[in-house]
PDB file of all heavy atoms in Angstrom:
ATOM      1  N   LEU A   1     103.798 114.720  93.530  1.00 97.00           N
ATOM      2  CA  LEU A   1     103.831 113.263  93.374  1.00 97.00           C
ATOM      3  C   LEU A   1     104.755 112.616  94.373  1.00 97.00           C
ATOM      4  O   LEU A   1     104.432 111.491  94.940  1.00 97.00           O
ATOM      5  CB  LEU A   1     104.254 112.867  91.940  1.00 97.00           C
ATOM      6  CG  LEU A   1     103.319 113.195  90.823  1.00 97.00           C
ATOM      7  CD1 LEU A   1     103.923 112.896  89.522  1.00 97.00           C
ATOM      8  CD2 LEU A   1     101.973 112.440  90.974  1.00 97.00           C
ATOM      9  N   LYS A   2     105.861 113.250  94.681  1.00 97.00           N
ATOM     10  CA  LYS A   2     106.725 112.727  95.720  1.00 97.00           C
ATOM     11  C   LYS A   2     106.120 112.845  97.128  1.00 97.00           C
ATOM     12  O   LYS A   2     106.237 111.963  97.952  1.00 97.00           O
ATOM     13  CB  LYS A   2     108.038 113.513  95.723  1.00 97.00           C
ATOM     14  CG  LYS A   2     108.871 113.277  94.470  1.00 97.00           C
ATOM     15  CD  LYS A   2     110.145 114.201  94.412  1.00 97.00           C
ATOM     16  CE  LYS A   2     110.899 113.887  93.131  1.00 97.00           C
ATOM     17  NZ  LYS A   2     112.040 114.901  92.989  1.00 97.00           N
ATOM     18  N   ILE A   3     105.366 113.919  97.325  1.00 96.00           N
ATOM     19  CA  ILE A   3     104.602 114.050  98.610  1.00 96.00           C
ATOM     20  C   ILE A   3     103.606 112.899  98.719  1.00 96.00           C
ATOM     21  O   ILE A   3     103.423 112.308  99.778  1.00 96.00           O
ATOM     22  CB  ILE A   3     103.938 115.462  98.691  1.00 96.00           C
ATOM     23  CG1 ILE A   3     104.977 116.506  98.882  1.00 96.00           C
ATOM     24  CG2 ILE A   3     102.916 115.430  99.752  1.00 96.00           C
ATOM     25  CD1 ILE A   3     104.471 117.962  98.747  1.00 96.00           C
ATOM     26  N   ALA A   4     102.872 112.623  97.599  1.00 95.00           N
ATOM     27  CA  ALA A   4     101.906 111.538  97.639  1.00 95.00           C
ATOM     28  C   ALA A   4     102.528 110.242  97.945  1.00 95.00           C
ATOM     29  O   ALA A   4     101.991 109.416  98.740  1.00 95.00           O
ATOM     30  CB  ALA A   4     101.159 111.518  96.274  1.00 95.00           C
ATOM     31  N   LEU A   5     103.701 110.023  97.376  1.00 96.00           N
ATOM     32  CA  LEU A   5     104.393 108.793  97.689  1.00 96.00           C
ATOM     33  C   LEU A   5     104.821 108.669  99.113  1.00 96.00           C
ATOM     34  O   LEU A   5     104.724 107.616  99.741  1.00 96.00           O
ATOM     35  CB  LEU A   5     105.671 108.647  96.801  1.00 96.00           C
ATOM     36  CG  LEU A   5     106.600 107.440  97.007  1.00 96.00           C
ATOM     37  CD1 LEU A   5     105.826 106.169  96.614  1.00 96.00           C
ATOM     38  CD2 LEU A   5     107.848 107.571  96.111  1.00 96.00           C
ATOM     39  N   ALA A   6     105.253 109.780  99.664  1.00 95.00           N
ATOM     40  CA  ALA A   6     105.668 109.787 101.138  1.00 95.00           C
ATOM     41  C   ALA A   6     104.452 109.556 101.996  1.00 95.00           C
ATOM     42  O   ALA A   6     104.624 109.148 103.208  1.00 95.00           O
ATOM     43  CB  ALA A   6     106.410 111.129 101.393  1.00 95.00           C
ATOM     44  N   CYS A   7     103.249 109.838 101.573  1.00 92.00           N
ATOM     45  CA  CYS A   7     102.053 109.728 102.359  1.00 92.00           C
ATOM     46  C   CYS A   7     101.628 108.234 102.445  1.00 92.00           C
ATOM     47  O   CYS A   7     100.905 107.854 103.421  1.00 92.00           O
ATOM     48  CB  CYS A   7     100.936 110.488 101.746  1.00 92.00           C
ATOM     49  SG  CYS A   7     101.093 112.320 102.021  1.00 92.00           S
ATOM     50  N   VAL A   8     102.127 107.373 101.537  1.00 93.00           N
ATOM     51  CA  VAL A   8     101.467 105.988 101.405  1.00 93.00           C
ATOM     52  C   VAL A   8     101.711 105.230 102.665  1.00 93.00           C
ATOM     53  O   VAL A   8     100.765 104.612 103.160  1.00 93.00           O
ATOM     54  CB  VAL A   8     102.136 105.343 100.138  1.00 93.00           C
ATOM     55  CG1 VAL A   8     101.825 103.846 100.148  1.00 93.00           C
ATOM     56  CG2 VAL A   8     101.684 105.998  98.894  1.00 93.00           C
ATOM     57  N   PRO A   9     102.901 105.171 103.262  1.00 91.00           N
ATOM     58  CA  PRO A   9     103.072 104.247 104.440  1.00 91.00           C
ATOM     59  C   PRO A   9     102.147 104.645 105.588  1.00 91.00           C
ATOM     60  O   PRO A   9     101.437 103.734 106.156  1.00 91.00           O
ATOM     61  CB  PRO A   9     104.502 104.450 104.837  1.00 91.00           C
ATOM     62  CG  PRO A   9     105.195 104.872 103.613  1.00 91.00           C
ATOM     63  CD  PRO A   9     104.238 105.678 102.846  1.00 91.00           C
ATOM     64  N   ALA A  10     102.037 105.917 105.910  1.00 87.00           N
ATOM     65  CA  ALA A  10     101.225 106.322 107.074  1.00 87.00           C
ATOM     66  C   ALA A  10      99.744 106.152 106.717  1.00 87.00           C
ATOM     67  O   ALA A  10      98.921 105.834 107.574  1.00 87.00           O
ATOM     68  CB  ALA A  10     101.565 107.783 107.423  1.00 87.00           C
ATOM     69  N   ALA A  11      99.383 106.387 105.406  1.00 86.00           N
ATOM     70  CA  ALA A  11      97.989 106.289 105.030  1.00 86.00           C
ATOM     71  C   ALA A  11      97.559 104.814 105.182  1.00 86.00           C
ATOM     72  O   ALA A  11      96.402 104.615 105.645  1.00 86.00           O
ATOM     73  CB  ALA A  11      97.834 106.718 103.552  1.00 86.00           C
ATOM     74  N   ILE A  12      98.346 103.893 104.732  1.00 89.00           N
ATOM     75  CA  ILE A  12      97.997 102.435 104.777  1.00 89.00           C
ATOM     76  C   ILE A  12      97.778 102.045 106.266  1.00 89.00           C
ATOM     77  O   ILE A  12      96.792 101.409 106.607  1.00 89.00           O
ATOM     78  CB  ILE A  12      99.054 101.592 104.177  1.00 89.00           C
ATOM     79  CG1 ILE A  12      99.042 101.832 102.624  1.00 89.00           C
ATOM     80  CG2 ILE A  12      98.819 100.100 104.434  1.00 89.00           C
ATOM     81  CD1 ILE A  12     100.166 101.144 101.959  1.00 89.00           C
ATOM     82  N   VAL A  13      98.754 102.407 107.071  1.00 87.00           N
ATOM     83  CA  VAL A  13      98.653 102.058 108.543  1.00 87.00           C
ATOM     84  C   VAL A  13      97.499 102.729 109.233  1.00 87.00           C
ATOM     85  O   VAL A  13      96.779 102.144 109.958  1.00 87.00           O
ATOM     86  CB  VAL A  13     100.013 102.432 109.243  1.00 87.00           C
ATOM     87  CG1 VAL A  13      99.789 102.222 110.760  1.00 87.00           C
ATOM     88  CG2 VAL A  13     101.099 101.535 108.735  1.00 87.00           C
ATOM     89  N   GLY A  14      97.267 104.001 108.839  1.00 79.00           N
ATOM     90  CA  GLY A  14      96.167 104.836 109.417  1.00 79.00           C
ATOM     91  C   GLY A  14      94.848 104.259 109.132  1.00 79.00           C
ATOM     92  O   GLY A  14      93.935 104.093 110.000  1.00 79.00           O
ATOM     93  N   VAL A  15      94.628 103.875 107.876  1.00 79.00           N
ATOM     94  CA  VAL A  15      93.315 103.299 107.467  1.00 79.00           C
ATOM     95  C   VAL A  15      93.045 101.962 108.076  1.00 79.00           C
ATOM     96  O   VAL A  15      91.968 101.631 108.522  1.00 79.00           O
ATOM     97  CB  VAL A  15      93.214 103.226 105.894  1.00 79.00           C
ATOM     98  CG1 VAL A  15      92.002 102.486 105.486  1.00 79.00           C
ATOM     99  CG2 VAL A  15      93.276 104.622 105.289  1.00 79.00           C
ATOM    100  N   LEU A  16      94.148 101.065 108.120  1.00 84.00           N
ATOM    101  CA  LEU A  16      93.968  99.711 108.507  1.00 84.00           C
ATOM    102  C   LEU A  16      93.983  99.543 110.038  1.00 84.00           C
ATOM    103  O   LEU A  16      93.309  98.680 110.575  1.00 84.00           O
ATOM    104  CB  LEU A  16      95.026  98.835 107.908  1.00 84.00           C
ATOM    105  CG  LEU A  16      94.989  98.655 106.370  1.00 84.00           C
ATOM    106  CD1 LEU A  16      96.138  97.779 105.892  1.00 84.00           C
ATOM    107  CD2 LEU A  16      93.660  98.108 105.902  1.00 84.00           C
ATOM    108  N   PHE A  17      94.775 100.348 110.668  1.00 83.00           N
ATOM    109  CA  PHE A  17      95.035 100.106 112.152  1.00 83.00           C
ATOM    110  C   PHE A  17      94.743 101.333 113.066  1.00 83.00           C
ATOM    111  O   PHE A  17      95.144 101.374 114.221  1.00 83.00           O
ATOM    112  CB  PHE A  17      96.503  99.678 112.356  1.00 83.00           C
ATOM    113  CG  PHE A  17      96.905  98.475 111.499  1.00 83.00           C
ATOM    114  CD1 PHE A  17      97.723  98.647 110.399  1.00 83.00           C
ATOM    115  CD2 PHE A  17      96.444  97.259 111.887  1.00 83.00           C
ATOM    116  CE1 PHE A  17      98.082  97.544 109.678  1.00 83.00           C
ATOM    117  CE2 PHE A  17      96.802  96.095 111.132  1.00 83.00           C
ATOM    118  CZ  PHE A  17      97.656  96.282 110.029  1.00 83.00           C
ATOM    119  N   ASP A  18      93.983 102.273 112.609  1.00 76.00           N
ATOM    120  CA  ASP A  18      93.764 103.509 113.393  1.00 76.00           C
ATOM    121  C   ASP A  18      93.113 103.218 114.675  1.00 76.00           C
ATOM    122  O   ASP A  18      93.541 103.635 115.697  1.00 76.00           O
ATOM    123  CB  ASP A  18      92.867 104.500 112.589  1.00 76.00           C
ATOM    124  CG  ASP A  18      92.629 105.776 113.277  1.00 76.00           C
ATOM    125  OD1 ASP A  18      93.625 106.458 113.637  1.00 76.00           O
ATOM    126  OD2 ASP A  18      91.427 106.114 113.549  1.00 76.00           O
ATOM    127  N   ASP A  19      92.015 102.427 114.662  1.00 77.00           N
ATOM    128  CA  ASP A  19      91.348 102.035 115.914  1.00 77.00           C
ATOM    129  C   ASP A  19      92.228 101.244 116.915  1.00 77.00           C
ATOM    130  O   ASP A  19      92.235 101.445 118.072  1.00 77.00           O
ATOM    131  CB  ASP A  19      90.000 101.272 115.625  1.00 77.00           C
ATOM    132  CG  ASP A  19      89.028 102.214 114.921  1.00 77.00           C
ATOM    133  OD1 ASP A  19      89.138 103.417 115.082  1.00 77.00           O
ATOM    134  OD2 ASP A  19      88.160 101.635 114.207  1.00 77.00           O
ATOM    135  N   TRP A  20      93.012 100.305 116.288  1.00 82.00           N
ATOM    136  CA  TRP A  20      93.865  99.413 117.094  1.00 82.00           C
ATOM    137  C   TRP A  20      94.939 100.335 117.755  1.00 82.00           C
ATOM    138  O   TRP A  20      95.293 100.174 118.987  1.00 82.00           O
ATOM    139  CB  TRP A  20      94.519  98.377 116.247  1.00 82.00           C
ATOM    140  CG  TRP A  20      95.308  97.415 117.107  1.00 82.00           C
ATOM    141  CD1 TRP A  20      94.787  96.250 117.634  1.00 82.00           C
ATOM    142  CD2 TRP A  20      96.676  97.448 117.465  1.00 82.00           C
ATOM    143  NE1 TRP A  20      95.831  95.518 118.330  1.00 82.00           N
ATOM    144  CE2 TRP A  20      96.926  96.346 118.269  1.00 82.00           C
ATOM    145  CE3 TRP A  20      97.627  98.431 117.347  1.00 82.00           C
ATOM    146  CZ2 TRP A  20      98.211  96.091 118.818  1.00 82.00           C
ATOM    147  CZ3 TRP A  20      98.902  98.221 117.835  1.00 82.00           C
ATOM    148  CH2 TRP A  20      99.197  97.074 118.590  1.00 82.00           C
ATOM    149  N   LEU A  21      95.508 101.245 117.017  1.00 78.00           N
ATOM    150  CA  LEU A  21      96.590 102.078 117.558  1.00 78.00           C
ATOM    151  C   LEU A  21      96.065 102.935 118.686  1.00 78.00           C
ATOM    152  O   LEU A  21      96.636 103.182 119.741  1.00 78.00           O
ATOM    153  CB  LEU A  21      97.148 102.978 116.454  1.00 78.00           C
ATOM    154  CG  LEU A  21      97.965 102.214 115.371  1.00 78.00           C
ATOM    155  CD1 LEU A  21      98.417 103.165 114.296  1.00 78.00           C
ATOM    156  CD2 LEU A  21      99.176 101.630 115.950  1.00 78.00           C
ATOM    157  N   ASP A  22      94.817 103.523 118.451  1.00 75.00           N
ATOM    158  CA  ASP A  22      94.212 104.366 119.473  1.00 75.00           C
ATOM    159  C   ASP A  22      94.014 103.560 120.743  1.00 75.00           C
ATOM    160  O   ASP A  22      94.237 104.105 121.853  1.00 75.00           O
ATOM    161  CB  ASP A  22      92.857 104.915 118.988  1.00 75.00           C
ATOM    162  CG  ASP A  22      92.990 106.046 118.034  1.00 75.00           C
ATOM    163  OD1 ASP A  22      94.126 106.522 117.928  1.00 75.00           O
ATOM    164  OD2 ASP A  22      91.964 106.507 117.564  1.00 75.00           O
ATOM    165  N   GLU A  23      93.559 102.319 120.644  1.00 77.00           N
ATOM    166  CA  GLU A  23      93.179 101.511 121.795  1.00 77.00           C
ATOM    167  C   GLU A  23      94.393 101.048 122.562  1.00 77.00           C
ATOM    168  O   GLU A  23      94.434 100.985 123.833  1.00 77.00           O
ATOM    169  CB  GLU A  23      92.368 100.293 121.338  1.00 77.00           C
ATOM    170  CG  GLU A  23      91.971  99.407 122.542  1.00 77.00           C
ATOM    171  CD  GLU A  23      91.122  98.184 122.031  1.00 77.00           C
ATOM    172  OE1 GLU A  23      90.773  98.186 120.857  1.00 77.00           O
ATOM    173  OE2 GLU A  23      90.855  97.340 122.868  1.00 77.00           O
ATOM    174  N   HIS A  24      95.546 100.684 121.859  1.00 77.00           N
ATOM    175  CA  HIS A  24      96.663 100.023 122.497  1.00 77.00           C
ATOM    176  C   HIS A  24      97.880 100.982 122.749  1.00 77.00           C
ATOM    177  O   HIS A  24      98.683 100.674 123.636  1.00 77.00           O
ATOM    178  CB  HIS A  24      97.096  98.855 121.645  1.00 77.00           C
ATOM    179  CG  HIS A  24      96.123  97.701 121.635  1.00 77.00           C
ATOM    180  ND1 HIS A  24      95.116  97.615 120.675  1.00 77.00           N
ATOM    181  CD2 HIS A  24      95.964  96.611 122.429  1.00 77.00           C
ATOM    182  CE1 HIS A  24      94.338  96.568 120.871  1.00 77.00           C
ATOM    183  NE2 HIS A  24      94.884  95.934 121.888  1.00 77.00           N
ATOM    184  N   LEU A  25      98.024 101.987 121.968  1.00 79.00           N
ATOM    185  CA  LEU A  25      99.247 102.806 122.108  1.00 79.00           C
ATOM    186  C   LEU A  25      99.022 104.196 122.586  1.00 79.00           C
ATOM    187  O   LEU A  25      99.955 104.892 123.005  1.00 79.00           O
ATOM    188  CB  LEU A  25     100.010 102.855 120.721  1.00 79.00           C
ATOM    189  CG  LEU A  25     100.531 101.538 120.235  1.00 79.00           C
ATOM    190  CD1 LEU A  25     101.282 101.754 118.920  1.00 79.00           C
ATOM    191  CD2 LEU A  25     101.374 100.826 121.244  1.00 79.00           C
ATOM    192  N   TYR A  26      97.780 104.675 122.544  1.00 77.00           N
ATOM    193  CA  TYR A  26      97.515 106.054 122.992  1.00 77.00           C
ATOM    194  C   TYR A  26      97.347 106.073 124.514  1.00 77.00           C
ATOM    195  O   TYR A  26      96.219 106.212 125.009  1.00 77.00           O
ATOM    196  CB  TYR A  26      96.312 106.649 122.346  1.00 77.00           C
ATOM    197  CG  TYR A  26      96.701 107.367 121.012  1.00 77.00           C
ATOM    198  CD1 TYR A  26      96.899 106.547 119.858  1.00 77.00           C
ATOM    199  CD2 TYR A  26      96.917 108.649 120.888  1.00 77.00           C
ATOM    200  CE1 TYR A  26      97.299 107.110 118.642  1.00 77.00           C
ATOM    201  CE2 TYR A  26      97.290 109.299 119.696  1.00 77.00           C
ATOM    202  CZ  TYR A  26      97.455 108.466 118.608  1.00 77.00           C
ATOM    203  OH  TYR A  26      97.858 109.050 117.433  1.00 77.00           O
ATOM    204  N   ASN A  27      98.469 105.903 125.266  1.00 81.00           N
ATOM    205  CA  ASN A  27      98.455 106.045 126.687  1.00 81.00           C
ATOM    206  C   ASN A  27      99.751 106.798 127.108  1.00 81.00           C
ATOM    207  O   ASN A  27     100.673 106.982 126.362  1.00 81.00           O
ATOM    208  CB  ASN A  27      98.436 104.666 127.343  1.00 81.00           C
ATOM    209  CG  ASN A  27      99.574 103.769 126.978  1.00 81.00           C
ATOM    210  OD1 ASN A  27     100.706 104.023 127.379  1.00 81.00           O
ATOM    211  ND2 ASN A  27      99.322 102.818 126.102  1.00 81.00           N
TER     212      ASN A  27
END
């Protein structure tokens, strides 16, 4: 349950901004 809680921030950002991060920060 603690692991699941620790996953929440990255999961939210990953789902919502994955494509944007790939386009703008993966250089």
Side-chain angles (χ1 to χ4, degrees):
L1 291 175
K2 292 174 183 175
I3 289 172
L5 178 62
C7 288
V8 171
I12 293 174
V13 171
V15 171
L16 296 180
F17 303 106
D18 183 58
D19 292 335
W20 187 91
L21 293 173
D22 281 354
E23 181 180 354
H24 293 88
L25 296 183
Y26 274 79
N27 58 74

